[in-house]
Amino acid sequence: MELNWALIAPLFFVQFILMIVALIDLIKIKKTNGPKWLWVIVVLFVSTLGPILYFIIGRKEH
Amino acid sequence: MIKFYYSMIVIMFFVNFSIAFMPYLTRKTENFGVSIPESAYDRPDFKAMRKKYSVRLNIVNISFILLFIAGNLYLQENTLTIIFSSLIVIYLLLSLLFYLPFHHEMKKIKQSEKWHEQYNQTIIIDPKFRVEKLIYPNYLYVIPFLIVLIVSVFTWIKFDLIPEQVPIHTSFFGEVTYGEKTFGNVFLLPSTALILISLFVFVNYIIKQAKQQISAANPNVSRKQNIIFRRRWSLFLFVMSVLLTLMFSFLQLTLIYQTLLPYQEIVIFIVVGLILFGVILLSFTTGQGGSRVKLLQEEEQQKIERDDDRYWKLGQFYVNKNDPAIFVEKRFGIGWTNNWAHPLSWILIIVILGLAIGLPIFIQSL
């Protein structure tokens, strides 16, 4: 079965890369809104929206 | 340093848990992102594939943790952060690299087996499904909300008792950072609790909205399993919100009554332990869509679900224009994901990213 890579690429980017970026950010950041491990679970269990929610309400700038 | 070290191990542990054990936790109607008849799930070759994938990733995980522990002995925290980030990226890429050959192998097997011609392709929709109690209602979250409210009012009343320096951050192993006694700092914990409560309400909503998926081979069992799956996660969310709110309330009270401080670590430890243990227990006892819930089996029917593999790109990304559902169960994983063909998926992402970028700019311009 052929795959439409033009279609996959943006999805791959948004879903997979977003998760990676969120996890790396979680590693680096000192403080989050609420416990860090909770955000790890949200990022891992709720695809796409989890990482986005993390970036909006989970991050805490110092 | 030691705290950083532990939190890295916890992150690695959960990443590994949610990825390496995935083939065992999915629905029994799929293997590596390819739909199969439920009766084929226990085929020896499929079992071997699942085992291979899982063993490989666990070996990677263990060696990475050992590497990290070794690095911890010799390296600075900054270097370690970079190394750890790279390890996570490598781990995730490896997981994909291990997954793809199995996914392709499954596709080949599926083509040669012609299951979807042998079996009667059926799609089962239960019009009464949505009438069932699928989740614990959102109004229950009034309880943690009230707890936050009471604690906030109490803090307000006792404001004078709070010392000039207040802890503004407690890592989950009890490391405390102090800050000035400003209004924002004093009410930091209650406001964080409110953010988390809204997060849980939203996830609860996703659990309710997620698409109905009933296995054609065991419709009655599968239907019940799916309801149990949603209810358990919904209940877990609620219990988690109450536990976290209680923990935050306790931490808030330590601001006012410093005599409570010695108990802080044990309270955090118990709450965190209970929740993390709960996530793992729930994942293993319930499985994706309730696949691991043991119910009285019915006679298996020679039916298979309508083949929707073409909508699951790489078995991971769901793109189906004809499906009005936006939230669906992950195919290869525990939890939920979105239908990328649904316009709302993109609108949500644009709005959310727009807010994320726009809000700070807006706030700065004030």
Short mmCIF file of all heavy atoms in Angstrom, two decimals, chain B residues 175-231:
data_model
loop_
_atom_site.label_atom_id
_atom_site.label_comp_id
_atom_site.label_asym_id
_atom_site.label_seq_id
_atom_site.Cartn_x
_atom_site.Cartn_y
_atom_site.Cartn_z
N GLU B 175 11.92 19.66 47.45
CA GLU B 175 12.88 20.75 47.38
C GLU B 175 12.10 22.07 47.31
O GLU B 175 11.22 22.23 46.48
CB GLU B 175 13.75 20.60 46.14
CG GLU B 175 14.93 21.51 46.09
CD GLU B 175 15.71 21.32 44.80
OE1 GLU B 175 15.13 20.79 43.84
OE2 GLU B 175 16.88 21.69 44.77
N VAL B 176 12.43 23.01 48.18
CA VAL B 176 11.62 24.22 48.28
C VAL B 176 12.40 25.46 47.84
O VAL B 176 13.56 25.64 48.20
CB VAL B 176 11.13 24.43 49.73
CG1 VAL B 176 10.17 25.61 49.80
CG2 VAL B 176 10.44 23.18 50.24
N THR B 177 11.73 26.31 47.04
CA THR B 177 12.31 27.60 46.66
C THR B 177 11.45 28.69 47.32
O THR B 177 10.23 28.56 47.33
CB THR B 177 12.25 27.79 45.13
OG1 THR B 177 12.46 26.54 44.50
CG2 THR B 177 13.27 28.80 44.66
N TYR B 178 12.10 29.76 47.81
CA TYR B 178 11.33 30.80 48.50
C TYR B 178 11.19 32.07 47.67
O TYR B 178 12.01 32.36 46.81
CB TYR B 178 11.97 31.13 49.85
CG TYR B 178 11.75 30.03 50.85
CD1 TYR B 178 12.65 28.97 50.95
CD2 TYR B 178 10.61 30.03 51.65
CE1 TYR B 178 12.43 27.94 51.85
CE2 TYR B 178 10.39 29.00 52.55
CZ TYR B 178 11.31 27.96 52.64
OH TYR B 178 11.08 26.95 53.52
N GLY B 179 10.12 32.83 47.95
CA GLY B 179 9.91 34.10 47.27
C GLY B 179 9.25 35.10 48.21
O GLY B 179 8.92 34.77 49.35
N GLU B 180 9.10 36.34 47.74
CA GLU B 180 8.46 37.40 48.54
C GLU B 180 7.00 37.06 48.82
O GLU B 180 6.37 36.34 48.05
CB GLU B 180 8.51 38.72 47.76
CG GLU B 180 9.90 39.26 47.52
CD GLU B 180 10.54 39.79 48.80
OE1 GLU B 180 9.86 40.55 49.51
OE2 GLU B 180 11.69 39.40 49.10
N LYS B 181 6.49 37.64 49.91
CA LYS B 181 5.08 37.39 50.24
C LYS B 181 4.19 38.34 49.42
O LYS B 181 3.69 39.33 49.94
CB LYS B 181 4.87 37.62 51.74
CG LYS B 181 3.45 37.38 52.21
CD LYS B 181 3.31 37.82 53.67
CE LYS B 181 1.90 37.68 54.16
NZ LYS B 181 1.78 38.16 55.55
N THR B 182 4.05 38.03 48.15
CA THR B 182 3.14 38.83 47.33
C THR B 182 1.82 38.07 47.21
O THR B 182 1.76 36.86 47.50
CB THR B 182 3.70 39.05 45.92
OG1 THR B 182 3.92 37.76 45.33
CG2 THR B 182 5.01 39.82 45.94
N PHE B 183 0.80 38.78 46.77
CA PHE B 183 -0.51 38.16 46.59
C PHE B 183 -0.40 36.96 45.65
O PHE B 183 -0.90 35.87 45.93
CB PHE B 183 -1.46 39.21 46.02
CG PHE B 183 -2.89 38.79 46.07
CD1 PHE B 183 -3.60 38.89 47.25
CD2 PHE B 183 -3.52 38.31 44.93
CE1 PHE B 183 -4.93 38.50 47.30
CE2 PHE B 183 -4.84 37.91 44.98
CZ PHE B 183 -5.54 38.01 46.17
N GLY B 184 0.31 37.17 44.56
CA GLY B 184 0.48 36.11 43.56
C GLY B 184 1.17 34.89 44.13
O GLY B 184 0.75 33.76 43.89
N ASN B 185 2.23 35.11 44.91
CA ASN B 185 2.96 33.98 45.47
C ASN B 185 2.16 33.23 46.52
O ASN B 185 2.24 32.02 46.61
CB ASN B 185 4.28 34.48 46.09
CG ASN B 185 5.35 34.67 45.02
OD1 ASN B 185 5.19 34.18 43.90
ND2 ASN B 185 6.40 35.39 45.35
N VAL B 186 1.40 33.97 47.33
CA VAL B 186 0.62 33.32 48.38
C VAL B 186 -0.50 32.46 47.78
O VAL B 186 -0.78 31.36 48.26
CB VAL B 186 0.03 34.36 49.36
CG1 VAL B 186 -1.00 33.72 50.29
CG2 VAL B 186 1.15 35.00 50.18
N PHE B 187 -1.09 32.95 46.69
CA PHE B 187 -2.19 32.19 46.08
C PHE B 187 -1.74 31.34 44.88
O PHE B 187 -2.55 30.91 44.07
CB PHE B 187 -3.33 33.12 45.69
CG PHE B 187 -4.10 33.60 46.88
CD1 PHE B 187 -3.79 34.83 47.47
CD2 PHE B 187 -5.08 32.81 47.46
CE1 PHE B 187 -4.47 35.26 48.59
CE2 PHE B 187 -5.76 33.23 48.59
CZ PHE B 187 -5.46 34.47 49.15
N LEU B 188 -0.44 31.09 44.82
CA LEU B 188 0.12 30.31 43.73
C LEU B 188 -0.48 28.90 43.68
O LEU B 188 -0.92 28.42 42.64
CB LEU B 188 1.63 30.21 43.92
CG LEU B 188 2.42 29.70 42.74
CD1 LEU B 188 2.37 30.72 41.62
CD2 LEU B 188 3.86 29.46 43.14
N LEU B 189 -0.50 28.23 44.83
CA LEU B 189 -0.97 26.84 44.86
C LEU B 189 -2.44 26.73 44.51
O LEU B 189 -2.82 25.91 43.68
CB LEU B 189 -0.66 26.21 46.22
CG LEU B 189 0.80 25.89 46.48
CD1 LEU B 189 1.02 25.55 47.93
CD2 LEU B 189 1.26 24.76 45.58
N PRO B 190 -3.32 27.56 45.13
CA PRO B 190 -4.73 27.46 44.75
C PRO B 190 -4.95 27.73 43.26
O PRO B 190 -5.75 27.03 42.62
CB PRO B 190 -5.41 28.54 45.59
CG PRO B 190 -4.52 28.72 46.77
CD PRO B 190 -3.14 28.47 46.27
N SER B 191 -4.22 28.71 42.69
CA SER B 191 -4.47 28.97 41.27
C SER B 191 -3.96 27.83 40.40
O SER B 191 -4.60 27.47 39.42
CB SER B 191 -3.86 30.31 40.84
OG SER B 191 -2.54 30.42 41.28
N THR B 192 -2.83 27.23 40.79
CA THR B 192 -2.36 26.06 40.05
C THR B 192 -3.39 24.93 40.13
O THR B 192 -3.68 24.26 39.14
CB THR B 192 -1.02 25.56 40.61
OG1 THR B 192 -0.11 26.66 40.64
CG2 THR B 192 -0.44 24.47 39.75
N ALA B 193 -3.95 24.75 41.33
CA ALA B 193 -4.96 23.70 41.50
C ALA B 193 -6.14 23.93 40.56
O ALA B 193 -6.65 22.99 39.95
CB ALA B 193 -5.42 23.64 42.95
N LEU B 194 -6.54 25.19 40.41
CA LEU B 194 -7.67 25.49 39.52
C LEU B 194 -7.32 25.15 38.07
O LEU B 194 -8.16 24.59 37.34
CB LEU B 194 -8.06 26.97 39.62
CG LEU B 194 -8.77 27.37 40.90
CD1 LEU B 194 -9.20 28.83 40.84
CD2 LEU B 194 -10.00 26.48 41.16
N ILE B 195 -6.10 25.47 37.66
CA ILE B 195 -5.67 25.13 36.29
C ILE B 195 -5.77 23.62 36.08
O ILE B 195 -6.29 23.15 35.08
CB ILE B 195 -4.22 25.60 36.04
CG1 ILE B 195 -4.18 27.13 36.01
CG2 ILE B 195 -3.66 25.01 34.75
CD1 ILE B 195 -2.79 27.71 35.86
N LEU B 196 -5.27 22.87 37.08
CA LEU B 196 -5.29 21.41 36.93
C LEU B 196 -6.71 20.86 36.91
O LEU B 196 -7.02 19.94 36.16
CB LEU B 196 -4.48 20.76 38.05
CG LEU B 196 -2.98 21.06 38.00
CD1 LEU B 196 -2.25 20.33 39.12
CD2 LEU B 196 -2.38 20.69 36.66
N ILE B 197 -7.59 21.45 37.74
CA ILE B 197 -8.99 20.98 37.75
C ILE B 197 -9.60 21.20 36.36
O ILE B 197 -10.27 20.31 35.82
CB ILE B 197 -9.81 21.69 38.85
CG1 ILE B 197 -9.32 21.24 40.24
CG2 ILE B 197 -11.30 21.38 38.71
CD1 ILE B 197 -9.91 22.02 41.39
N SER B 198 -9.35 22.37 35.74
CA SER B 198 -9.91 22.59 34.40
C SER B 198 -9.33 21.60 33.39
O SER B 198 -10.03 21.13 32.50
CB SER B 198 -9.69 24.01 33.90
OG SER B 198 -9.13 24.82 34.86
N LEU B 199 -8.04 21.30 33.56
CA LEU B 199 -7.42 20.32 32.67
C LEU B 199 -8.14 18.97 32.77
O LEU B 199 -8.46 18.34 31.76
CB LEU B 199 -5.95 20.16 33.05
CG LEU B 199 -5.16 19.09 32.30
CD1 LEU B 199 -4.85 19.55 30.89
CD2 LEU B 199 -3.87 18.75 33.03
N PHE B 200 -8.43 18.56 34.00
CA PHE B 200 -9.10 17.27 34.19
C PHE B 200 -10.52 17.28 33.61
O PHE B 200 -10.96 16.29 33.04
CB PHE B 200 -9.15 16.89 35.67
CG PHE B 200 -7.80 16.56 36.23
CD1 PHE B 200 -7.43 16.94 37.50
CD2 PHE B 200 -6.88 15.86 35.46
CE1 PHE B 200 -6.18 16.63 38.02
CE2 PHE B 200 -5.62 15.55 35.95
CZ PHE B 200 -5.28 15.93 37.24
N VAL B 201 -11.22 18.39 33.79
CA VAL B 201 -12.57 18.49 33.24
C VAL B 201 -12.51 18.33 31.72
O VAL B 201 -13.31 17.62 31.12
CB VAL B 201 -13.22 19.84 33.62
CG1 VAL B 201 -14.51 20.07 32.84
CG2 VAL B 201 -13.50 19.88 35.12
N PHE B 202 -11.51 18.94 31.11
CA PHE B 202 -11.36 18.85 29.66
C PHE B 202 -11.07 17.41 29.21
O PHE B 202 -11.67 16.89 28.28
CB PHE B 202 -10.27 19.81 29.18
CG PHE B 202 -10.09 19.80 27.70
CD1 PHE B 202 -11.12 20.24 26.87
CD2 PHE B 202 -8.92 19.34 27.11
CE1 PHE B 202 -10.96 20.23 25.48
CE2 PHE B 202 -8.76 19.33 25.73
CZ PHE B 202 -9.77 19.78 24.92
N VAL B 203 -10.14 16.75 29.92
CA VAL B 203 -9.82 15.36 29.55
C VAL B 203 -11.05 14.47 29.77
O VAL B 203 -11.34 13.59 28.96
CB VAL B 203 -8.60 14.84 30.34
CG1 VAL B 203 -8.32 13.39 29.99
CG2 VAL B 203 -7.36 15.68 30.04
N ASN B 204 -11.79 14.74 30.82
CA ASN B 204 -13.02 14.00 31.08
C ASN B 204 -14.00 14.15 29.91
O ASN B 204 -14.64 13.19 29.48
CB ASN B 204 -13.66 14.53 32.37
CG ASN B 204 -14.60 13.54 33.00
OD1 ASN B 204 -14.43 12.32 32.85
ND2 ASN B 204 -15.61 14.04 33.70
N TYR B 205 -14.05 15.35 29.37
CA TYR B 205 -14.90 15.63 28.21
C TYR B 205 -14.43 14.81 27.00
O TYR B 205 -15.25 14.23 26.28
CB TYR B 205 -14.86 17.14 27.91
CG TYR B 205 -15.51 17.54 26.62
CD1 TYR B 205 -16.90 17.63 26.53
CD2 TYR B 205 -14.75 17.81 25.48
CE1 TYR B 205 -17.51 17.99 25.33
CE2 TYR B 205 -15.35 18.16 24.29
CZ TYR B 205 -16.73 18.25 24.21
OH TYR B 205 -17.32 18.60 23.04
N ILE B 206 -13.11 14.74 26.81
CA ILE B 206 -12.58 13.93 25.70
C ILE B 206 -13.00 12.47 25.87
O ILE B 206 -13.43 11.83 24.92
CB ILE B 206 -11.03 14.03 25.62
CG1 ILE B 206 -10.61 15.45 25.27
CG2 ILE B 206 -10.47 13.04 24.60
CD1 ILE B 206 -9.10 15.64 25.15
N ILE B 207 -12.89 11.97 27.10
CA ILE B 207 -13.25 10.56 27.36
C ILE B 207 -14.70 10.32 26.98
O ILE B 207 -15.05 9.30 26.40
CB ILE B 207 -13.01 10.20 28.84
CG1 ILE B 207 -11.53 10.31 29.17
CG2 ILE B 207 -13.53 8.80 29.15
CD1 ILE B 207 -11.20 10.02 30.62
N LYS B 208 -15.55 11.29 27.27
CA LYS B 208 -16.97 11.14 26.97
C LYS B 208 -17.20 11.18 25.46
O LYS B 208 -17.93 10.37 24.90
CB LYS B 208 -17.76 12.26 27.65
CG LYS B 208 -19.25 12.09 27.49
CD LYS B 208 -19.97 13.24 28.14
CE LYS B 208 -21.45 13.17 27.79
NZ LYS B 208 -22.08 14.47 27.96
N GLN B 209 -16.55 12.12 24.79
CA GLN B 209 -16.80 12.34 23.37
C GLN B 209 -16.18 11.29 22.46
O GLN B 209 -16.63 11.10 21.34
CB GLN B 209 -16.25 13.72 22.96
CG GLN B 209 -17.03 14.88 23.52
CD GLN B 209 -18.50 14.84 23.13
OE1 GLN B 209 -18.86 14.54 22.01
NE2 GLN B 209 -19.37 15.11 24.10
N ALA B 210 -15.12 10.63 22.94
CA ALA B 210 -14.36 9.72 22.06
C ALA B 210 -15.30 8.75 21.35
O ALA B 210 -16.31 8.30 21.90
CB ALA B 210 -13.32 8.96 22.87
N LYS B 211 -14.91 8.47 20.13
CA LYS B 211 -15.73 7.66 19.23
C LYS B 211 -16.07 6.29 19.82
O LYS B 211 -15.26 5.67 20.50
CB LYS B 211 -14.91 7.46 17.96
CG LYS B 211 -15.62 6.80 16.85
CD LYS B 211 -14.60 6.60 15.74
CE LYS B 211 -15.13 5.70 14.66
NZ LYS B 211 -14.09 5.42 13.67
N GLN B 212 -17.26 5.84 19.49
CA GLN B 212 -17.73 4.52 19.92
C GLN B 212 -17.08 3.46 19.03
O GLN B 212 -17.16 3.53 17.82
CB GLN B 212 -19.26 4.51 19.75
CG GLN B 212 -19.89 3.20 20.01
CD GLN B 212 -21.39 3.18 19.71
OE1 GLN B 212 -21.96 2.13 19.61
NE2 GLN B 212 -22.04 4.33 19.59
N GLN B 213 -16.41 2.50 19.66
CA GLN B 213 -15.78 1.43 18.88
C GLN B 213 -16.16 0.09 19.49
O GLN B 213 -15.73 -0.22 20.59
CB GLN B 213 -14.26 1.56 18.97
CG GLN B 213 -13.64 2.39 17.88
CD GLN B 213 -12.15 2.48 18.10
OE1 GLN B 213 -11.68 3.33 18.84
NE2 GLN B 213 -11.40 1.60 17.46
N ILE B 214 -16.97 -0.67 18.77
CA ILE B 214 -17.41 -1.95 19.30
C ILE B 214 -16.91 -3.06 18.39
O ILE B 214 -17.11 -3.02 17.18
CB ILE B 214 -18.95 -1.97 19.43
CG1 ILE B 214 -19.38 -0.90 20.45
CG2 ILE B 214 -19.42 -3.35 19.86
CD1 ILE B 214 -20.86 -0.76 20.62
N SER B 215 -16.24 -4.03 19.00
CA SER B 215 -15.69 -5.14 18.22
C SER B 215 -16.82 -5.98 17.64
O SER B 215 -17.79 -6.31 18.32
CB SER B 215 -14.80 -5.99 19.11
OG SER B 215 -14.68 -7.28 18.58
N ALA B 216 -16.68 -6.35 16.36
CA ALA B 216 -17.73 -7.11 15.69
C ALA B 216 -17.76 -8.56 16.17
O ALA B 216 -18.80 -9.21 16.14
CB ALA B 216 -17.53 -7.06 14.19
N ALA B 217 -16.61 -9.07 16.60
CA ALA B 217 -16.54 -10.48 17.00
C ALA B 217 -17.22 -10.71 18.35
O ALA B 217 -17.84 -11.75 18.58
CB ALA B 217 -15.10 -10.94 17.04
N ASN B 218 -17.08 -9.75 19.25
CA ASN B 218 -17.68 -9.87 20.59
C ASN B 218 -18.42 -8.59 20.95
O ASN B 218 -18.01 -7.89 21.87
CB ASN B 218 -16.60 -10.09 21.65
CG ASN B 218 -15.81 -11.33 21.41
OD1 ASN B 218 -16.33 -12.43 21.49
ND2 ASN B 218 -14.54 -11.16 21.09
N PRO B 219 -19.50 -8.29 20.23
CA PRO B 219 -20.10 -6.95 20.43
C PRO B 219 -20.52 -6.65 21.87
O PRO B 219 -20.25 -5.56 22.36
CB PRO B 219 -21.29 -6.95 19.48
CG PRO B 219 -21.50 -8.35 19.06
CD PRO B 219 -20.21 -9.07 19.22
N ASN B 220 -21.13 -7.63 22.52
CA ASN B 220 -21.64 -7.33 23.87
C ASN B 220 -20.52 -7.12 24.87
O ASN B 220 -20.54 -6.19 25.66
CB ASN B 220 -22.57 -8.46 24.35
CG ASN B 220 -23.84 -8.48 23.53
OD1 ASN B 220 -24.39 -7.42 23.19
ND2 ASN B 220 -24.29 -9.67 23.18
N VAL B 221 -19.54 -8.03 24.81
CA VAL B 221 -18.41 -7.91 25.73
C VAL B 221 -17.66 -6.61 25.45
O VAL B 221 -17.36 -5.85 26.36
CB VAL B 221 -17.45 -9.12 25.56
CG1 VAL B 221 -16.16 -8.88 26.30
CG2 VAL B 221 -18.12 -10.39 26.06
N SER B 222 -17.40 -6.36 24.17
CA SER B 222 -16.62 -5.19 23.81
C SER B 222 -17.32 -3.90 24.22
O SER B 222 -16.69 -2.94 24.65
CB SER B 222 -16.37 -5.24 22.30
OG SER B 222 -16.17 -3.97 21.80
N ARG B 223 -18.63 -3.90 24.08
CA ARG B 223 -19.41 -2.72 24.46
C ARG B 223 -19.24 -2.45 25.95
O ARG B 223 -18.97 -1.33 26.38
CB ARG B 223 -20.87 -2.98 24.10
CG ARG B 223 -21.81 -1.84 24.40
CD ARG B 223 -23.22 -2.27 24.01
NE ARG B 223 -24.18 -1.23 24.32
CZ ARG B 223 -24.68 -1.03 25.53
NH1 ARG B 223 -24.30 -1.80 26.53
NH2 ARG B 223 -25.54 -0.06 25.73
N LYS B 224 -19.38 -3.54 26.74
CA LYS B 224 -19.24 -3.38 28.19
C LYS B 224 -17.83 -2.95 28.55
O LYS B 224 -17.62 -2.08 29.39
CB LYS B 224 -19.55 -4.73 28.89
CG LYS B 224 -21.03 -4.96 29.09
CD LYS B 224 -21.25 -6.24 29.87
CE LYS B 224 -22.62 -6.84 29.57
NZ LYS B 224 -22.63 -8.30 29.57
N GLN B 225 -16.85 -3.58 27.88
CA GLN B 225 -15.45 -3.24 28.16
C GLN B 225 -15.20 -1.76 27.91
O GLN B 225 -14.52 -1.09 28.68
CB GLN B 225 -14.52 -4.06 27.27
CG GLN B 225 -14.35 -5.49 27.72
CD GLN B 225 -13.50 -6.28 26.75
OE1 GLN B 225 -13.53 -6.05 25.55
NE2 GLN B 225 -12.75 -7.25 27.27
N ASN B 226 -15.76 -1.27 26.80
CA ASN B 226 -15.53 0.12 26.46
C ASN B 226 -16.14 1.07 27.48
O ASN B 226 -15.54 2.09 27.83
CB ASN B 226 -16.08 0.41 25.07
CG ASN B 226 -15.53 1.71 24.55
OD1 ASN B 226 -16.26 2.68 24.37
ND2 ASN B 226 -14.22 1.79 24.36
N ILE B 227 -17.32 0.69 27.97
CA ILE B 227 -17.95 1.54 28.99
C ILE B 227 -17.11 1.51 30.27
O ILE B 227 -16.85 2.56 30.87
CB ILE B 227 -19.40 1.06 29.25
CG1 ILE B 227 -20.25 1.34 28.01
CG2 ILE B 227 -19.99 1.77 30.48
CD1 ILE B 227 -21.63 0.74 28.05
N ILE B 228 -16.64 0.32 30.64
CA ILE B 228 -15.81 0.20 31.84
C ILE B 228 -14.53 1.02 31.69
O ILE B 228 -14.11 1.73 32.60
CB ILE B 228 -15.48 -1.29 32.13
CG1 ILE B 228 -16.77 -2.01 32.56
CG2 ILE B 228 -14.41 -1.41 33.21
CD1 ILE B 228 -16.62 -3.51 32.71
N PHE B 229 -13.93 0.92 30.51
CA PHE B 229 -12.70 1.67 30.21
C PHE B 229 -12.90 3.16 30.45
O PHE B 229 -12.13 3.82 31.15
CB PHE B 229 -12.33 1.40 28.74
CG PHE B 229 -11.25 2.29 28.17
CD1 PHE B 229 -9.94 2.18 28.59
CD2 PHE B 229 -11.56 3.21 27.18
CE1 PHE B 229 -8.94 2.97 28.03
CE2 PHE B 229 -10.57 4.01 26.62
CZ PHE B 229 -9.27 3.89 27.06
N ARG B 230 -13.98 3.68 29.87
CA ARG B 230 -14.22 5.13 30.03
C ARG B 230 -14.50 5.48 31.48
O ARG B 230 -13.96 6.46 32.00
CB ARG B 230 -15.41 5.56 29.17
CG ARG B 230 -15.11 5.49 27.71
CD ARG B 230 -16.30 5.94 26.91
NE ARG B 230 -16.23 5.39 25.57
CZ ARG B 230 -16.33 6.12 24.45
NH1 ARG B 230 -16.52 7.40 24.51
NH2 ARG B 230 -16.26 5.54 23.28
N ARG B 231 -15.35 4.67 32.13
CA ARG B 231 -15.71 5.00 33.51
C ARG B 231 -14.51 4.96 34.42
O ARG B 231 -14.33 5.82 35.28
CB ARG B 231 -16.76 4.00 34.02
CG ARG B 231 -18.14 4.32 33.55
CD ARG B 231 -19.13 3.49 34.32
NE ARG B 231 -20.40 3.42 33.63
CZ ARG B 231 -21.29 2.46 33.81
NH1 ARG B 231 -21.04 1.48 34.65
NH2 ARG B 231 -22.42 2.48 33.16
#
